[in-house]
Amino acid sequence: MKVPVKLDHLSKATGILMGGTALGQAILLLALPLLTRLYTPEHFNVLAVYVAIVGVFAGAACLRLDVAISIPETADEARQLLVLAVTCASIVSVAVATGVWAVGELFSIDYGVDREFFSLLVGAGLFSIGALNAFQVWYVREKKFMSISLVKLSQAILSVMVQVAFGLLEGKTYGLLLGYIANSAVGASAFAMGLLWKASQTAHIALSELKKVFKDYSRFPKYSTLESLANEGASQVPILLIAFFVGGAEAGFLMLAARVLQAPIALLGNAVSQVFLSEAPEKERQGVLGEFALEMMVRLAKVGVGPLIAAGLLAPVLFPVVFGSQWQRSGELISWMTPWFIAQFMVSPVSLSLHVKGRQKVALVLQVFALVFRVAVVGVCVFAFSGFVVEAYAISGFIVYVVYLLCVLKVVGLHPLSLLIALKRALLPVVAFTGMGLCVLLAFGFLQAKGIV
């Protein structure tokens, strides 16, 4: 017998999280047309290299102990995991920064900026992202969604202020990088200060207790860390190949396209992921995790798939107008990337079910497959089809997330057909947004033909 899954309180939690996230994403998006005129595609290319390097290790900076913070039934155990996660982030960030500098010196890699300073920025950015992830999961566990929302808004404001200031003051070389770091640094600092106000959250924790908790949750460092490295590597290593082997500003064009497409994912997908993570362990104990995941995917489809399709239709003609003529290539890339981002948008929040079900090995195998497959596709194209590299990268992303979705459905006990049937409820808004996109595209073509735009 199907157990009903009530999501009223989840809708409220998601709405609170989306409030700050929506304002933050609006600020970031509204700033992009200014940033694309202050900075060149080559500047974004440097940012793309930096984000790719940091991105490979960002999810694993805490050795995935940050993900485990939501699982314990007691606050004491969760607090110990928080301390372990932040400690691991500090160690990993130093190691990665040292490695980036050493590899750069050994192979004379041109990062686009001073090699030593670039390495320091990698360490600073990686630690701030790791700490931010750990603190944020703690706040989700405590269901302090309003605090998270306000912090997200503050992150976006400061990030844009730094990037615009450096762009106006001719500090363009490091402006985008410092603004990117500021985003996570202010978030981590705000969360940390919030915890320090409460003495109960900063009580002394014995080293023996930390050792025991680390041993109890060792499956996360053992399996989930490699999974995260493979997951991020599948997305980021191909970008490094594109930046270093394709040349030009192709990685910069890809960076802008990804930032625009990621907006709805950051707006809704991340908020749903956090709410899903806060409730999934309890749903698993109740035996309704599958129904819970299915309902989440339907809700995502209703509000996100249509706008993504519309973006894919309109981007090639609107990008030169909105961001400047030199960014035409980014608009073209969005059309290729849309199917990939739709699949990612649908599966990413509910993919956390694998951890809740204790299937870290399955998640690891999936991510290793994604890494090998995507790097192989891009690697072959770099040397054999150099004019189709980024397009192949986008297609490989779509294939990977479809495979991932099928595996998640199997683990939570759902047949793919049940998802297709449930998605009928999302058909109307998807068709409506697609229709609006086509109407705008036709209207824009008419105005171009008349010479009005």
Side-chain angles (χ1 to χ4, degrees):
M1 183 178 69
K2 184 176 179 180
V3 180
V5 180
K6 297 181 180 181
L7 295 177
D8 292 341
H9 66 293
L10 293 180
S11 298
K12 181 179 179 180
T14 303
I16 293 174
L17 279 175
M18 283 181 59
T21 305
L23 289 174
Q25 287 301 312
I27 291 170
L28 293 175
L29 283 176
L30 290 173
L32 277 178
L34 175 59
L35 295 178
T36 54
R37 288 168 172 82
L38 291 175
Y39 298 92
T40 67
E42 288 71 24
H43 289 128
F44 274 82
N45 205 71
V46 174
L47 178 63
V49 171
Y50 175 84
V51 172
I53 293 174
V54 172
V56 169
F57 302 97
C62 299
L63 300 186
R64 300 299 279 172
L65 293 173
D66 52 328
V67 175
I69 292 171
S70 64
I71 296 176
E73 292 188 23
T74 66
D76 286 341
E77 191 170 314
R79 191 178 304 113
Q80 291 158 7
L81 283 169
L82 175 61
V83 172
L84 285 170
V86 175
T87 301
C88 290
S90 64
I91 297 172
V92 170
S93 62
V94 172
V96 171
T98 304
V100 169
W101 172 81
V103 171
E105 290 289 322
L106 182 61
F107 296 101
S108 300
I109 296 177
D110 181 14
Y111 294 120
V113 293
D114 178 75
R115 200 173 293 139
E116 292 184 357
F117 192 61
F118 183 85
S119 301
L120 289 174
L121 293 181
V122 167
L126 186 56
F127 173 73
S128 62
I129 291 174
L132 174 64
N133 291 341
F135 287 128
Q136 187 164 278
V137 176
W138 172 267
Y139 274 69
V140 168
R141 175 190 171 86
E142 296 294 302
K143 295 181 172 54
K144 296 181 179 179
F145 300 118
M146 182 60 72
S147 297
I148 297 173
S149 184
L150 292 174
V151 168
K152 286 184 176 294
L153 177 58
S154 301
Q155 287 177 252
I157 293 173
L158 184 59
S159 177
V160 169
M161 288 176 61
V162 171
Q163 290 177 333
V164 171
F166 274 85
L168 292 173
L169 297 174
E170 301 299 326
K172 299 179 186 297
T173 304
Y174 296 103
L176 290 175
L177 301 182
L178 293 174
Y180 180 84
I181 295 172
N183 188 298
S184 54
V186 69
S189 300
F191 283 138
M193 287 188 292
L195 286 175
L196 289 174
W197 278 109
K198 292 188 176 181
S200 61
Q201 309 291 3
T202 57
H204 174 71
I205 298 176
L207 181 60
S208 59
E209 294 176 343
L210 293 178
K211 288 181 179 179
K212 181 182 182 301
V213 171
F214 187 87
K215 183 178 180 180
D216 291 342
Y217 289 86
S218 61
R219 67 184 184 277
F220 286 89
K222 285 180 180 178
Y223 303 116
S224 192
T225 296
L226 291 176
E227 175 210 340
S228 176
L229 289 172
N231 176 34
E232 296 299 336
S235 298
Q236 307 299 346
V237 172
I239 293 177
L240 294 176
L241 293 177
I242 292 169
F244 292 134
F245 290 100
V246 176
E250 197 75 347
F253 293 128
L254 180 59
M255 163 66 72
L256 180 63
R259 287 188 67 173
V260 172
L261 271 181
Q262 283 170 347
I265 293 179
L267 170 59
L268 180 60
N270 290 347
V272 172
S273 294
Q274 291 162 11
V275 175
F276 184 85
L277 186 59
S278 71
E279 296 289 332
E282 179 62 27
K283 298 301 180 184
E284 168 64 8
R285 287 188 284 269
Q286 295 174 359
V288 294
L289 182 60
E291 290 87 346
F292 183 55
L294 184 64
E295 186 63 30
M296 282 292 191
M297 285 187 281
V298 171
R299 291 194 171 205
L300 285 169
K302 284 181 178 180
V303 299
V305 173
L308 283 171
I309 293 175
L313 292 171
L314 296 173
V317 297
L318 294 184
F319 252 63
V321 177
V322 177
F323 300 105
S325 58
Q326 60 183 338
W327 295 97
Q328 170 74 43
R329 175 63 173 157
S330 292
E332 297 169 355
L333 292 179
I334 281 190
S335 296
W336 285 94
M337 295 165 65
T338 297
W340 158 24
F341 273 76
I342 289 175
Q344 179 181 348
F345 180 73
M346 292 290 295
V347 74
S348 289
V350 298
S351 67
L352 296 170
S353 300
L354 296 179
H355 299 287
V356 176
K357 298 282 288 187
R359 305 297 293 273
Q360 281 82 9
K361 289 184 180 179
V362 174
L364 174 58
V365 171
L366 284 170
Q367 299 302 349
V368 170
F369 157 73
L371 173 61
V372 173
F373 178 72
R374 300 195 74 181
V375 170
V377 168
V378 171
V380 168
C381 289
V382 163
F383 296 104
F385 307 98
S386 57
F388 194 70
V389 176
V390 181
E391 289 84 351
Y393 171 62
I395 294 172
S396 70
F398 172 71
I399 295 173
V400 162
Y401 276 101
V402 169
V403 172
Y404 207 114
L405 174 61
L406 293 174
C407 291
V408 170
L409 290 176
K410 182 175 180 60
V411 168
V412 299
L414 294 175
H415 193 280
L417 185 60
S418 64
L419 175 60
L420 292 177
I421 294 173
L423 287 177
K424 288 181 180 179
R425 288 183 278 153
L427 190 59
L428 181 59
V430 170
V431 171
F433 272 104
T434 302
M436 286 189 289
L438 289 172
C439 290
V440 173
L441 186 63
L442 292 173
F444 192 84
F446 175 78
L447 294 176
Q448 279 187 318
K450 294 295 184 179
I452 298 176
V453 295

